[in-house]
Amino acid sequence: MNIAIFASGNGSNFQALVDDELIKPHVKLLVCDKPNAYVIERANKEHIPVFLFEAKNYPDKEAFETEILLELRGLEIDLLVLAGYMRLIGPTVLAEFPEQIVNLHPSLLPAFKGKDAIGQAIRANVLETGVTAHFVDAGMDTGPIIDQVKVAVNEADTVDTLAEKIHQKEHVFYPKVIRGLIQNGGND
Ligand code: GAR
C-alpha cells in the first residue's frame, strides 16, 4: 500500500507516522500547501519526496487538485492520510479516492467540527474531549468514523495545555489507526 501524507504545518503527526517502522516504508509522498511549513524539513530529513503547491498560484481548487492527482497517480498512491492539512478535500480528489482518505481531527466528532476544535472545547467547558480518525467525505469533518480516543479536560486547562495533551494522544493513536488500515489493505 502506497501512502501520501497531507499536512500544512508543524507536522508532529507526520513525524509520529514516519517514526513507525511498519508505516514508514509505505509513505511515498508529502503533499503540503505552505512553503514555510516545518513539516517540509521533516520530510527532507526522512528522504520523503514533497509536492509543494500554493493555492494562490492556481485559478481554483480543481486546478491544484488536478496537479495533486497527477502526482498521486505517478506514485500509484492508494491511501491519503491527512495530518493537519488545513483544507477541505474537493470533489476532484474525492472522486478518485472514495473511502481512501483518512483525516485526524482534535475532538470527539461530531462535537466541535471545523477550525479551532480545541478552543471550541475549552470555551464549551466540557469535561472530556478527544481525537477522531475518520474517512473523508464531501462534508467538513463528517465522514464515517474509524476510531476515537478520549482526553480529559481539567478546569485549569488552557488551549495550549489541552493542545499538548491532545497531541500526545494523537501521536500514539494515529499511527495505530494507519497500521490497522495497512494491515487490512495488504502489504504490497
Ligand atoms: C493536529 O492536532 C490535528 O488533529 C489537527 O491539526 C493538528 C496538526 O498538528 N487537525 C485539524 O484540526 C484538522 N481539522 P501537527 O502539524 O503537529 O501534526
Side-chain angles (χ1 to χ4, degrees), residues 9-14 83-86 103-106 114 141 166-167 170:
N10 175 28
S12 68
N13 283 285
F14 170 90
Y85 182 63
M86 294 305 182
N103 185 38
L104 176 70
H105 186 77
D141 303 321
I166 284 186
H167 270 104
E170 287 180 333

Side-chain angles (χ1 to χ4, degrees), residues 118-135:
I118 298 171
Q120 291 183 55
I122 289 285
R123 289 189 291 278
N125 284 313
V126 290
L127 294 175
E128 70 177 17
T129 182
V131 176
T132 301
H134 67 95
F135 288 111

Side-chain angles (χ1 to χ4, degrees), residues 122 125-127 152-159 161 165:
I122 289 285
N125 284 313
V126 290
L127 294 175
V153 186
N154 299 329
E155 260 179 45
D157 270 324
T158 61
V159 171
T161 63
K165 283 193 214 171

Side-chain angles (χ1 to χ4, degrees), residues 29 31 51 66-77:
L29 183 68
V31 176
F51 177 66
T66 299
E67 281 213 5
I68 293 173
L69 274 186
L70 290 177
E71 295 289 323
L72 301 178
R73 285 183 196 138
L75 293 166
E76 299 187 342
I77 299 293

